[in-house]
Amino acid sequence: MKYLLMIFTWWNGATLNSRFYTRLHGTLVGTDEFGNLYYRGKKIDPALGFERRWVIYNGYAEGSATPPGWYGWLHHTVDVPPTDEKYEPREWQLPYIPNLTGTPEAWRPPGSTLRAGARPKATGDYEAWSPEA
């Protein structure tokens, strides 16, 4: 089943073609705490003028599962990958939390129809429209 998913789906990790391309043209740079693998191209891409960088996700391909340090490296914001950097997070920085949109843990604002519990009563600051008879 794993190999069928690798052939026919792109959201469950890398496809067979992506793995083949990576083996031929990529150099492993490092991994993150989620097991995602980060690669760079072996040569400068002539169409882009700079090296290609990509990630192969460990499991479901979710862009929010890319930690901030690796996100900056992937998008050429920084040249040094987090594995070569001696970065210590500040005490005010929160730990990484993935995007919870679409999950039961997603934030629901007060008054949302998806929020558990009763919807708050209308405050009376509007008058309902009714057609003239």
Side-chain angles (χ1 to χ4, degrees):
M1 185 64 144
K2 179 181 174 183
Y3 294 107
L4 286 176
L5 288 175
M6 197 181 342
I7 292 170
F8 294 110
T9 64
W10 56 266
W11 55 87
N12 290 313
T15 62
L16 194 58
N17 190 39
S18 295
R19 290 184 188 274
F20 183 69
Y21 179 86
T22 299
R23 179 156 315 256
L24 288 179
H25 302 287
T27 303
L28 180 66
V29 176
T31 61
D32 64 15
E33 61 266 24
F34 306 115
N36 300 328
L37 303 171
Y38 296 88
Y39 292 90
R40 70 169 24 126
K42 293 179 180 176
K43 297 188 276 187
I44 301 295
D45 189 318
L48 297 175
F50 51 84
E51 72 179 5
R52 285 186 181 266
R53 298 174 180 174
W54 65 93
V55 59
I56 294 183
Y57 292 101
N58 180 21
Y60 189 73
E62 170 61 43
S64 70
T66 305
W70 283 109
Y71 181 89
W73 180 79
L74 282 172
H75 291 87
H76 297 274
T77 304
V78 295
D79 291 329
V80 180
T83 53
D84 296 343
E85 188 174 56
K86 303 292 185 258
Y87 176 75
E88 291 292 327
R90 314 254 179 175
E91 64 274 358
W92 48 265
Q93 289 178 304
L94 297 174
Y96 171 76
I97 299 172
N99 184 357
L100 299 175
T101 302
T103 68
E105 291 82 29
W107 183 74
R108 312 272 198 252
S112 170
T113 57
L114 299 175
R115 190 174 183 145
R119 187 178 169 109
K121 300 268 188 215
T123 59
D125 59 352
Y126 71 95
E127 186 177 324
W129 177 84
S130 62
E132 294 182 305

